Amino acid sequence: KAGVTQTPRYLIKTRGQQVTLSCSPISGHRSVSWYQQTPGQGLQFLFEYFSETQRNKGNFPGRFSGRQFSNSRSEMNVSTLELGDSALYLCASSKGQAPNSPLHFGNGTRLTVT
Amino acid sequence: GESVGLHLPTLSVQEGDNSIINCAYSNSASDYFIWYKQESGKGPQFIIDIRSNMDKRQGQRVTVLLNKTVKHLSLQIAATQPGDSAVYFCAETLGFQKLVFGTGTRLLVSP
């Protein structure tokens, strides 16, 4: 069974630009979550989608947004990029029927903002 | 590789030793806890989980202990191998797949 796939693997953007990251969950998984990982703040929850609906959201500014498609694939978008947005962005999927089911992570997209 | 923390606490052990990694969690209402392993260049990998109605759970070479009184979680790895070298995170859930991660511990295993 294929794991969680994130594209692209690396991205370099300039301040003020916007970026879209993509995530394909494990087949049959309907929940997709996004996390930001930085050396200073560690792993922080961005948001979670289940059946195209956002169920939970972290404490990030509105520049960070996401969506989920009917095939469970998800995208996240960051607008008006800032230097501090440089991070590893991780997507995780789960079956999601219960509030707590194990998350399976992809290998992330490394975003560098210059 | 990906930097997951420049000043992580580090546990150094010899191959074959048992390792114990500790974690304090913050929310007494959390009802589900997970340990993840993250190797350089990869995303976190699920190791073992435990629900709050349990105090111990065993997997293959790993045991998780939960002490709700002091909000403490530990991961024990038996017969540690070089391939166990990684950063280990505990996480607690705050509803609908929202995980709150600990800061992580780097495990270094020497042959």
Side-chain angles (χ1 to χ4, degrees), chain B residues 8-85:
Chain B
L8 289 175
T10 299
L11 174 64
S12 297
V13 302
Q14 293 287 119
E15 182 177 1
D17 287 351
N18 296 331
S19 302
I20 300 176
I21 300 171
N22 296 303
C23 173
Y25 64 92
S26 57
N27 193 326
S28 56
S30 296
D31 62 359
Y32 180 59
F33 304 88
I34 313 175
W35 279 99
Y36 283 93
K37 169 187 180 183
Q38 188 173 25
E39 297 172 288
S40 182
K42 296 185 178 180
Q45 177 188 354
F46 173 85
I47 301 173
I48 191 168
D49 58 1
I50 188 168
R51 299 197 183 275
S52 59
N53 60 353
M54 305 170 69
D55 51 25
K56 180 179 180 178
R57 190 169 187 215
Q58 290 185 291
Q60 187 177 14
R61 281 202 307 120
V62 295
T63 301
V64 55
L65 299 177
L66 174 63
N67 184 330
K68 294 181 287 295
T69 302
V70 295
K71 294 191 286 186
H72 183 268
L73 204 60
S74 68
L75 177 70
Q76 301 177 1
I77 305 174
T80 314
Q81 302 167 359
D84 295 326
S85 294

Side-chain angles (χ1 to χ4, degrees), chain A residues 9-10 31 33 35 37-39 43 45 48 55-57 88 90 94 96 98-103 105-107 110, chain B residues 1-6 31-32 34 36 38 41-44 46 49 51 89 93-99 101:
Chain A
R9 189 78 172 92
Y10 299 94
S31 168
S33 308
Y35 288 79
Q37 186 172 31
T38 59
L43 281 148
F45 174 78
E48 187 257 355
R55 290 197 299 191
N56 214 337
K57 188 177 187 304
L88 180 66
L90 291 158
S94 72
N100 301 315
S101 53
L103 269 62
F105 284 84
N107 288 330
R110 167 65 67 182
Chain B
E2 316 298 356
S3 57
V4 298
L6 298 178
D31 62 359
Y32 180 59
I34 313 175
Y36 283 93
Q38 188 173 25
K42 296 185 178 180
F46 173 85
D49 58 1
R51 299 197 183 275
F89 294 95
T93 59
L94 296 178
F96 291 124
Q97 317 308 92
K98 178 180 179 179
L99 297 181
F101 283 84

Side-chain angles (χ1 to χ4, degrees), chain A residues 31-79:
Chain A
S31 168
V32 174
S33 308
W34 288 89
Y35 288 79
Q36 182 196 64
Q37 186 172 31
T38 59
Q41 300 298 318
L43 281 148
Q44 292 189 292
F45 174 78
L46 282 155
F47 28 66
E48 187 257 355
Y49 289 87
F50 181 82
S51 293
E52 302 178 68
T53 300
Q54 187 181 88
R55 290 197 299 191
N56 214 337
K57 188 177 187 304
N59 298 321
F60 278 81
R63 299 185 297 107
F64 292 80
S65 62
R67 59 178 176 168
Q68 186 181 33
F69 302 96
S70 58
N71 61 359
S72 294
R73 192 177 67 85
S74 178
E75 290 180 346
M76 69 163 281
N77 184 277
V78 188
S79 62

